[in-house]
Amino acid sequence: MIQAADRALKLLTSLILLYLSAALIGALIPGQTAPLATQVPEDAPDVTLHLLAGPIHYDFLLPLNAATRASMAPLTEHMPNIQNPRSEWLLIGWGAREFYTTTGGYSDLTAGAIWRSFTGDASVLRVDSVGSLDPTYELPSLTLSTGQYAQLLAAITDSFARDANGEVIVVPGAGFGPTDRFFEAKGRFDMIRTCNIWIGRMLRQANLRFGAWTPTPYAVTLSLKWHH
């Protein structure tokens, strides 16, 4: 039994190292980007967005400008603060439904939620609106042309699942606070298709050079530094 446990531990360690090595390579190799198709005036201003990192997860922080508010108008019924002038940023991220919606903090994690995040789960998008950002808090940022930002918004809004009437589907009762909500999303979450993979896919859809496979926060961080 001891030998079997030792072999199992070595196999698990090897798989983890293989996974992390693949993430490292995937962060450095650029993935295929979508062509820039959106036509905008040449003098249209650029747009700066931020990325917010957690221990295992990245979110977008999008400026709540006119384009963002218009694209997120379908959420307004459930999140009126999106249209509040005092709301300056939109936080949005994609993740596993059980893991994401039932854990206000990492101390709340259950074995079932962790297992489903490994083996496969339905996905959700968490959306929140926030006010001004602390200027002393350094966040990774990207500057996009107006056309690139329009494509990013289109890719993000296309990530929402819709009902038969084309409406977004809010997850009943879910949310960590009074202003955030969870919505049903397209696609399934697993260890190959993680929340951080979604970040990279959205950026490539916006015609931004980014790593082909970035399943971990470190892979996203490395890809940002390497390609931008």
Side-chain angles (χ1 to χ4, degrees):
M1 288 183 65
I2 294 176
Q3 289 180 340
D6 183 58
R7 286 196 296 270
L9 180 60
K10 289 180 179 178
L11 176 60
L12 177 61
T13 302
S14 298
L15 290 174
I16 292 173
L17 290 175
L18 179 63
Y19 184 86
L20 295 177
S21 298
L24 174 65
I25 295 170
L28 299 177
I29 298 176
Q32 184 175 1
T33 58
L36 188 59
T38 305
Q39 299 297 319
V40 296
E42 292 185 2
D43 59 348
D46 291 341
V47 180
T48 298
L49 60 86
H50 301 292
L51 290 102
L52 182 63
I56 60 173
H57 176 85
Y58 259 97
D59 288 304
F60 283 118
L61 272 174
L62 307 178
L64 272 171
N65 56 19
T68 306
R69 293 181 197 273
S71 70
M72 298 299 164
L75 313 184
T76 303
E77 177 184 351
H78 310 287
M79 302 185 64
N81 274 352
I82 288 178
Q83 304 301 332
N84 188 328
R86 289 181 293 181
S87 297
E88 297 183 19
W89 297 89
L90 186 88
L91 181 146
I92 186 165
W94 183 91
R97 175 169 179 149
E98 184 173 351
F99 188 100
Y100 212 175
T101 62
T102 61
T103 56
Y106 294 111
S107 61
D108 302 325
L109 285 174
T110 65
I114 295 173
W115 176 250
R116 292 195 63 166
S117 70
F118 276 93
T119 60
D121 193 4
S123 62
V124 292
L125 286 153
R126 178 177 175 249
V127 187
D128 200 358
S129 56
V130 297
S132 59
L133 302 178
D134 185 342
T136 65
Y137 191 47
E138 295 185 3
L139 293 170
S141 63
L142 289 167
T143 299
L144 284 64
S145 70
T146 301
Q148 288 176 312
Y149 190 65
Q151 289 191 187
L152 176 66
L153 290 175
I156 291 174
T157 54
D158 187 56
S159 298
F160 287 88
R162 308 276 175 158
D163 63 17
N165 297 318
E167 302 293 333
V168 296
I169 307 167
V170 68
V171 178
F176 296 152
T179 60
D180 71 313
R181 295 291 182 273
F182 284 94
F183 297 87
E184 302 282 359
K186 294 179 180 178
R188 287 187 63 80
F189 180 102
D190 56 40
M191 293 307 294
I192 304 300
R193 295 163 293 189
T194 69
C195 47
N196 302 299
I197 291 285
W198 179 81
I199 291 286
R201 183 161 58 86
M202 294 299 100
L203 293 174
R204 293 194 303 274
Q205 285 293 312
N207 190 241
L208 280 172
R209 188 179 175 90
F210 206 77
W213 192 64
T214 53
T216 65
Y218 177 73
V220 173
T221 302
L222 178 61
S223 193
L224 285 168
K225 292 180 178 180
W226 183 260
H227 299 293
H228 298 277

